[in-house]
DNA sequence: TTGTATGCGTTATCAA
DNA sequence: TTGATAACGCATACAA
């Protein structure tokens, strides 16, 4: 059993010694600074020495010296789950690292009474993306004061205090309602999930449905529903009174289709259902499900571009609010 | 429009000045070091000054000074998606932050030819969790040399070079096969997904099915399948030749149920199907789906405990390999 | 009970 | 072309 080699990680000074140059020269070569004029031969020696030692620069030291960490923090909890979010996140990561930033997902729980924003601030990130709910005035102030250039909210509504990436849940409700009414539905229901993480988005989608229903004078029933068959089945009477349901998302839509089938109702004959998310699974249903998909394909690059603008201008107080909106696509497959 | 206040973030020295004490005292108070004896009155003054300034310590500087970052890195790409992974990750985060560590999800793509491990090493994390595939000998060497105490692989098989969290995919295949055979199936098929991210796990699950089939002398057909109806439907002949299918997971199981239904085959009358993952959605199917669930509820705390042991012992070369295995639960709901 | 001094690894300024 | 040298913010051994 070998004794533990308590070897320190190699530093740029170690590299310098091995290459027989000064430590400053190492820094010049490895960052190939434009201004520095170092002979090709020296460069090669430095590079080889770094390789041999397995030299890896110390991010903390660099951040301390330069004042820039290059970190972009995004909070884990505030990203809705599913294939859409995963793909978007990967694209965002790609886009950011192309420009020299590093995307890092970070927990957003408060620990021992310390608000999450404070933990984020310790890393001195250049930008923070987090749920609108967590970015109250105080949190933003902590971040700003720690030198965070860009604070961006993620949510269903624009944040009053920082620029926001808005997922247009109301728009989803609007499209769903119009779709159903255009196809002859005259009595609507809209599901609001009774799950903690989903209720808020559910209410925003509901708001969109409400707007259309009111404008077109169609009665609308709000249905608060946990994701269980029993609860949905218990509402059998309700389902007989309506001819169109916006099910919140595809999962709920599938739940309803199962329950309505059990209750002897035909879909879409007796009741039309619209889901949301365009889940691959939903395409397997018989009959096929009509669904609404958020098109966020353009969001990552647009977001990164705006981030760079904000970082460059570095406005202490944002002069204006700039919500972005993802666009909707209806995918009708019945 | 206010001009940008180019205010530096406040430092502990700023706090010291405002409180009328030395910078060292600030450090003592804010970390309440056991050894330091500071009067309650001074403590209060320091705390108040820190609050007033919105002082947030600089993680990079602290890391540089102490040699410990407290960061635990986990690669984003190597976490399979879905509700199970999300819950596990949250639990892991909770568990780690209780012990003073900070979990951070980090991209695993290589950027401009720089291997991911090098980017991880720059942050000087205390531990790195990543897909077994990314932790080859060289990557581990880079991490070790950068002072990473614990490197842990995530995968379907124990890594030969570092301790591993093993998700027992072979065990899943074994259980599925035994389940089917015990219920009278005499001709099996097992799906291997033809998607890049899934194929490997598919092969491991298949291996388990194969083992059982061979032992019990049951014929087995391997079915490589992309997630499309058409491909599955084209295999109509195959489905008629078997009476039991392990569908890889619940998504594929639902795909098969749709296709088999279209082909006029009864489930489970003509063909039995076993899925995996225990998706809430799968419970809605008629007939209900038999599924296998990995029980990883104990994994986070066990993992963190082992991490601390490894960090404490700090073995330069791991003296032995310690795979963990998640346990299986069959949830039969037909 | 508190202050002084030092060093962590890096980048960047200036002089040689 | 390259090499000293200082400074970033913090924690800590030691002196007062």
């Amino acid at each position: 059993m070998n004794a533990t080699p308590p070897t320190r990680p190699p530093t740029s000074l170690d590299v310098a010694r091995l290459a027989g140059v000064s430590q400053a020269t190492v820094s010049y070569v490895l960052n190939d600074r434009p201004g520095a004029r170092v002979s090709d031969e020296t460069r090669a020696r430095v590079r080889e020495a770094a390789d041999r030692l397995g030299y890896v620069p110390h991010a903390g030291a660099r951040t301390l010296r330069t004042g820039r960490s290059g970190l972009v923090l995004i909070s884990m909890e505030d990203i809705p789950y599913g294939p859409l979010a995963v793909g978007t996140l990967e694209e965002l990561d790609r886009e950011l690292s192309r420009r020299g930033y590093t995307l890092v997902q970070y927990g957003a729980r408060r620990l021992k009474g310390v608000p999450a924003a404070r933990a984020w601030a310790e890393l001195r990130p250049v930008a923070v993306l987090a749920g609108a709910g967590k970015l109250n005035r105080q949190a933003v102030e902590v971040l700003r004061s720690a030198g965070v250039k860009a604070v961006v909210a993620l949510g269903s509504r624009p944040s009053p205090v920082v620029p926001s990436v808005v997922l247009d849940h109301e728009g989803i409700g609007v499209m769903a309602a119009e779709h159903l009414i255009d196809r002859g539905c005259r009595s609507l229901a809209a599901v609001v999930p009774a799950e903690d993480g989903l209720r808020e988005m559910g209410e925003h989608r509901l708001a969109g449905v409400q707007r259309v229903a009111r404008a077109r004078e169609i009665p609308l029933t709000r249905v608060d529903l946990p994701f269980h068959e029993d609860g949905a089945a218990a509402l059998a009477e309700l389902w007989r009174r309506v001819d169109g349901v916006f099910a919140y998302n595809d999962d709920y839509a599938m739940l309803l289709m199962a329950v309505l089938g059990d209750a002897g109702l035909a879909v879409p004959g007796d009741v039309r259902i619209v889901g949301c998310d365009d889940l691959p699974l939903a395409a397997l249903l018989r009959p096929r499900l009509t669904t609404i998909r958020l098109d966020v394909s353009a969001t990552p690059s647009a977001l990164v571009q705006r981030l760079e603008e904000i970082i460059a201008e570095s406005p202490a107080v944002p002069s204006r609010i700039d919500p972005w909106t993802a666009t909707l696509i209806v995918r009708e497959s019945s």
Side-chain angles (χ1 to χ4, degrees), chain A:
Chain A
M1 178 102 53
N2 288 340
T4 304
T7 335
R8 282 186 307 92
T11 71
S12 61
L13 187 61
D14 296 326
V15 176
R17 277 195 281 256
L18 180 57
V21 299
S22 85
Q23 188 250 17
T25 304
V26 172
S27 181
Y28 286 146
V29 171
L30 296 184
N31 303 333
D32 43 39
R33 274 208 34 163
R37 291 132 107 59
V38 180
S39 72
D40 285 354
E41 194 234 358
T42 306
R43 298 185 111 86
R45 273 219 318 284
V46 169
R47 292 239 158 74
E48 203 214 307
D51 272 7
R52 286 243 315 256
L53 292 178
Y55 169 71
V56 173
H58 188 300
R62 189 202 292 121
T63 299
L64 183 57
R65 172 63 232 216
T66 62
R68 282 166 287 111
S69 69
L71 250 39
V72 173
L73 254 49
I74 186 167
S75 80
M76 303 206 289
E77 282 89 345
D78 298 322
I79 302 174
Y81 252 151
L84 185 68
V86 176
T88 306
L89 213 53
E90 278 178 7
E91 182 60 24
L92 186 61
D93 183 31
R94 209 185 330 272
E95 202 75 41
L96 282 171
S97 50
R98 274 205 314 123
R99 310 208 187 195
Y101 298 105
T102 301
L103 181 66
V104 153
Q105 273 181 276
Y106 201 99
R109 264 173 320 89
R110 47 187 305 136
L111 179 62
K112 298 181 200 155
V114 176
R118 199 205 175 257
W120 296 336
E122 293 196 359
L123 293 184
R124 299 290 191 270
V126 63
V128 168
L129 316 177
K134 268 142 202 154
L135 295 176
N136 52 34
R137 209 167 304 270
Q138 195 184 345
V140 173
E141 182 45 38
V142 168
L143 294 172
R144 282 257 140 70
S145 143
V148 180
K149 302 284 193 207
V151 180
V152 173
L154 312 172
S156 337
R157 294 278 175 79
S159 154
V161 24
V162 290
S164 316
V165 174
V166 175
L167 258 47
D168 185 12
H169 293 288
E170 248 189 81
I172 293 173
V174 167
M175 293 200 96
E178 285 177 344
H179 177 92
L180 290 169
I181 296 173
D182 288 350
R183 273 155 192 77
C185 297
R186 288 300 168 262
S187 174
L188 298 186
V191 171
V192 176
E195 326 270 322
D196 267 358
L198 270 37
R199 183 179 303 120
E200 199 195 327
M201 294 189 289
E203 309 228 334
H204 289 133
R205 294 183 186 184
L206 172 69
V209 178
Q210 278 172 332
R211 226 169 62 204
V212 175
R214 209 171 292 137
R216 304 187 49 175
E217 301 184 338
I218 300 281
L220 168 67
T221 306
R222 167 185 175 145
V223 188
D224 288 275
L225 210 60
F227 196 80
H228 283 125
E229 285 182 74
D230 307 340
L235 297 172
E237 281 319 301
L238 170 63
W239 306 128
R240 293 185 196 285
R241 288 206 334 264
V242 300
D243 56 6
V245 180
F246 171 57
Y248 174 71
N249 70 7
D250 288 350
D251 292 85
Y252 274 91
M254 293 172 78
L255 171 65
L256 289 191
M257 288 181 71
V259 166
L260 295 188
D262 290 352
L265 290 167
V267 179
D270 296 320
V271 183
R272 284 185 179 273
I273 297 183
V274 172
C276 181
D277 286 348
D278 195 15
L279 291 187
L281 264 185
L284 300 174
L285 291 185
R286 305 287 183 271
R288 296 180 198 282
L289 178 65
T290 296
T291 189
I292 298 176
R293 179 158 56 90
L294 278 167
D295 179 14
V296 289
S297 56
T299 303
S301 75
L303 173 55
V304 173
Q305 210 166 325
R306 273 298 276 131
L307 276 183
E308 288 221 299
E309 290 171 24
I310 297 176
I311 291 168
E313 299 171 15
S314 182
V317 176
S319 45
R320 39 169 204 198
I321 310 301
D322 284 301
W324 293 279
T325 303
T327 58
L328 303 180
I329 291 180
V330 174
R331 183 170 163 290
E332 182 169 10
S333 44
S334 68

